[in-house]
Amino acid sequence: MWRDHLTEIIIFTLLFLLVSAMGFVAARWRAPRDMAHLDEWGLGGRNFGGWITWFLVGGDLYTAYTFVAVPALVFGAGAMGFFAVPYTIVIYPLVFLVLVRLWSVSHRHGFVTPADFVRSRFDSPVLALLIAITGIVATMPYIALQLVGIESVLKAMGVTGESTIARHLPIIVAFAILAAYTYQSGLRAPALIAFVKDSLIYVVILVAIFWLPYKLGGWDDIFAAADAKFDASPAPGDGVLLNANNQLQYVTLAFGSALALFLYPHSLTGVLASRNRDVIKRNMSALPAYSLLLGLIALLGYMAIAADVTPLPGAKEGTTDSNTIVPLLFDQQFPDWFAGVAYAAIGIGALVPAAIMSIAAANLFTRNIYKEYLRRDATPAQEANVSKITSLVVKIGAVACIVFLDPQFSIDLQLIGGVIILQTLPAVALGLYTRWFHRGALVAGWVAGMGLGMWMLYQISSPTRKHFAGSAFPLEKFGFDTQKTIYVGIVAVLVNLLVAALVTLLLRAVKVRDGVDGTQPDDYFADEGDPRVTPGDRRDADAAPEPVA
């Protein structure tokens, strides 16, 4: 009953209103030249320094869903849930050099989205359209999952209703406020709020990691309780240690997730908003500090086992909502006032990434669909206006997913989203280093990888769903005599690359035209203050001169 959680609700509401006010004030933060321009509204003026970028990108990657879902997976499956820790460590060395090249070429040409880069690099509006659609589709369920994080907190505080609308009304109100200040302030809003969000999360986790073991009898008792639970589990992959059945899935999921992380449009939006190359380099060196925090967050799953936390009932009769274990753990073990602070950390943790994701999806639609196919002569002000409206539509779509779909299905959609976004790796990540792949071959590779990935995902079932029930593909369906599974994304992207390479050789052999590269080698090393070029300048300069009359 909500009256039993009145202190928590008051603190949660006050902190939520505080960051909402900051979101509206952000429109005047750092003196934007003209908010009616995507560089200002969608990328914060491309002028964020080291600290702002660190909080923005960190707040974008480590979300409210991370706060509730990673411990929930550890609570339910054990060691498998720790896959998120190595992949967020491995990723930063991988992208250290890749992202500075993307920043430089985007700075030089004024690119706002990864599809902008692909359009210029491979001279292919079709390939750019596929990259844009892929980014939007992969981002949508991610936004919906931020609502799952808020919903888990509201359920723990007893703020629920009997009807569908009454149950989701607080979420609808929260996202209406988010939509309003994002519309007004653009990327500056989540950048400013990220300071509060990350500070609260650090405080809550550091307190939890010392206070909860003290309350629960120490780490020995915590791990002993987890060990006892998994020893009694019938699932062959569950346990506090990995075993032969889940090691391949763990490795491929961690590596595939690492490759996918900075292909998501919202991850790249924070990077493109940086002031210069050095800001990105420093952040790729410092962001692994968040991985330490993530490891501590994951341990909350074992603490919930030791505390005998029972998840609240799920949306369907006879099911449970594992996402509620962290809020319930805090409710049981913390004083009411600090539980309210912890709930606010989770709730605010949903606002920052949701805002960035909606902006990134809106920028993709505006630059690579609206401007490319619907209105080529759109002015910067028109682009900004369309992006603002699209960001509202994206948020409405995310709320609709939570209201009308089973939340568990949204979680599965997020896993599917990683498989989907991985298919942009050859064009975006490898395209920053080489143009060897033919543009037609990249389209063929995308079709092959996406087709195989969707087929594999369709074959995955669970006791509650016949199809699309996760991303762990049983190798026995490929004819192997084993119970092992593998991450669908890795298989799909390898096929994507293989097809792209073979079709490139074929198209080059029959001399199919490959378009004109709109970039130059020095574009990938441009830095702050270097002059920009317009999209057609290089192409015009490389073309043959017109005959003199």
Side-chain angles (χ1 to χ4, degrees):
M1 193 69 182
W2 67 269
R3 291 183 182 87
D4 298 330
H5 303 274
L6 192 58
T7 301
E8 299 163 1
I9 292 172
I10 291 173
I11 293 176
F12 176 88
T13 303
L14 289 176
L15 288 173
F16 193 92
L17 292 176
L18 170 64
V19 299
S20 298
M22 292 174 64
F24 287 107
V25 170
R28 294 183 292 276
W29 180 45
R30 300 177 66 86
R33 292 190 299 272
D34 180 13
M35 286 296 285
H37 196 291
L38 280 186
D39 273 7
E40 293 292 344
W41 184 83
L43 291 179
R46 298 180 185 260
N47 196 35
F48 290 161
W51 279 107
I52 299 173
T53 302
W54 191 75
F55 280 104
L56 179 65
V57 176
D60 187 20
L61 301 182
Y62 302 87
T63 68
Y65 178 65
T66 303
F67 209 128
V68 298
V70 171
L73 185 55
V74 171
F75 177 87
M80 191 66 199
F82 284 91
F83 84 93
V85 178
Y87 101 67
T88 57
I89 295 173
V90 168
I91 182 59
Y92 298 110
L94 289 176
V95 302
F96 185 90
L97 297 176
V98 174
L99 292 182
V100 292
R101 291 176 70 88
L102 178 64
W103 183 92
S104 290
V105 71
S106 299
H107 170 76
R108 177 64 63 84
H109 290 267
F111 298 150
V112 175
T113 70
D116 283 349
F117 161 71
V118 170
R119 173 71 174 87
S120 181
R121 177 70 152 161
F122 295 101
D123 193 18
S124 174
V126 173
L127 182 59
L129 177 64
L130 291 177
I131 299 299
I133 293 174
T134 303
I136 294 171
V137 171
T139 301
M140 282 295 293
Y142 226 145
I143 302 173
L145 288 178
Q146 305 315 307
L147 295 175
V148 173
I150 297 179
E151 188 173 52
S152 68
V153 169
L154 296 175
K155 288 173 72 172
M157 291 190 296
V159 185
T160 57
E162 295 298 327
S163 67
T164 300
I165 296 299
R167 187 167 64 251
H168 294 101
L169 184 59
I171 293 179
I172 295 172
V173 172
F175 257 57
I177 296 172
L178 169 67
Y181 66 64
T182 304
Y183 184 92
Q184 176 178 317
S185 304
L187 193 65
R188 283 176 169 81
L192 187 58
I193 295 172
F195 285 94
V196 178
K197 173 252 185 188
D198 288 357
S199 299
L200 284 175
I201 287 181
Y202 267 104
V203 168
V204 170
I205 293 303
L206 290 176
V207 170
I209 211 66
F210 291 104
W211 175 253
L212 293 178
Y214 168 76
K215 291 267 290 183
L216 297 172
W219 287 107
D220 284 347
D221 287 353
I222 291 172
F223 279 99
D227 210 13
K229 175 189 174 180
F230 294 126
D231 283 345
S233 173
D238 292 353
V240 294
L241 296 176
L242 296 174
N243 56 52
N245 289 317
N246 57 19
Q247 289 174 359
L248 179 63
Q249 173 67 17
Y250 183 92
V251 170
T252 54
L253 179 58
F255 185 63
S257 299
L259 294 178
L261 187 61
F262 275 97
L263 292 172
Y264 279 104
H266 58 274
S267 302
L268 297 177
T269 295
V271 171
L272 296 183
S274 303
R275 179 183 301 150
N276 54 43
R277 289 165 60 95
D278 285 342
V279 167
I280 299 170
K281 291 177 181 178
R282 290 196 300 270
N283 271 274
M284 291 305 105
S285 301
L287 278 168
Y290 276 97
S291 299
L292 173 63
L293 183 69
L294 183 58
L296 299 178
I297 290 174
L299 289 172
L300 294 174
Y302 287 156
M303 296 181 200
I305 295 174
D308 292 324
V309 173
T310 301
L312 292 174
K316 290 184 178 180
E317 187 175 351
T319 64
T320 59
D321 184 359
S322 61
N323 291 315
T324 59
I325 65 157
V326 169
L328 290 175
L329 176 67
F330 291 161
D331 181 56
Q332 292 178 13
Q333 303 296 327
F334 284 148
D336 288 350
W337 69 270
F338 193 76
V341 173
Y343 290 164
I346 298 175
I348 296 169
L351 300 182
V352 172
I356 303 172
M357 291 169 190
S358 65
I359 290 170
N363 288 346
L364 281 168
F365 174 82
T366 301
R367 290 298 291 264
N368 308 114
I369 297 177
Y370 173 78
K371 186 174 176 65
E372 181 74 41
Y373 293 96
L374 302 178
R375 188 160 188 174
R376 288 181 174 271
D377 60 345
T379 64
Q382 289 171 332
E383 285 184 12
N385 190 51
V386 169
S387 201
K388 290 179 180 180
I389 295 172
T390 305
S391 74
L392 297 179
V393 174
V394 168
K395 293 184 186 72
I396 293 171
V399 172
C401 287
I402 294 299
V403 173
F404 298 110
L405 295 179
D406 175 10
Q408 181 60 43
F409 185 56
S410 296
I411 295 169
D412 292 334
L413 281 177
Q414 193 275 329
L415 296 174
I416 294 170
V419 177
I420 292 172
I421 202 65
L422 263 176
Q423 307 317 309
T424 66
L425 185 145
V428 177
L430 298 185
L432 288 166
Y433 277 92
T434 178
R435 202 178 177 277
W436 180 81
F437 289 105
H438 193 284
R439 60 182 179 178
L442 288 171
V443 172
W446 182 93
V447 171
M450 196 67 73
L452 176 63
M454 291 299 103
W455 176 83
M456 293 175 69
L457 290 167
Y458 182 81
Q459 301 299 317
I460 298 173
S461 60
S462 72
T464 58
R465 188 171 298 111
K466 291 184 178 180
H467 307 290
F468 297 106
S471 59
F473 185 80
L475 287 177
E476 63 181 12
K477 291 185 180 291
F478 278 151
F480 294 97
D481 184 18
T482 179
Q483 292 185 338
K484 294 180 180 179
T485 59
I486 190 170
Y487 178 52
V488 172
I490 285 290
V491 179
V493 77
L494 288 176
V495 169
N496 184 336
L497 287 166
L498 177 62
V499 171
L502 293 176
V503 175
T504 293
L505 294 174
L506 175 63
L507 294 179
R508 298 223 190 281
V510 297
K511 302 187 184 315
V512 175
R513 182 178 177 274
D514 195 16
V516 178
D517 186 356
T519 70
Q520 292 289 323
D522 65 310
D523 291 343
Y524 298 90
F525 301 93
D527 207 345
E528 182 182 16
D530 289 351
R532 289 189 175 186
V533 298
T534 59
D537 286 348
R538 289 278 167 78
R539 193 168 301 168
D540 295 341
D542 291 338
E546 293 290 332
V548 179

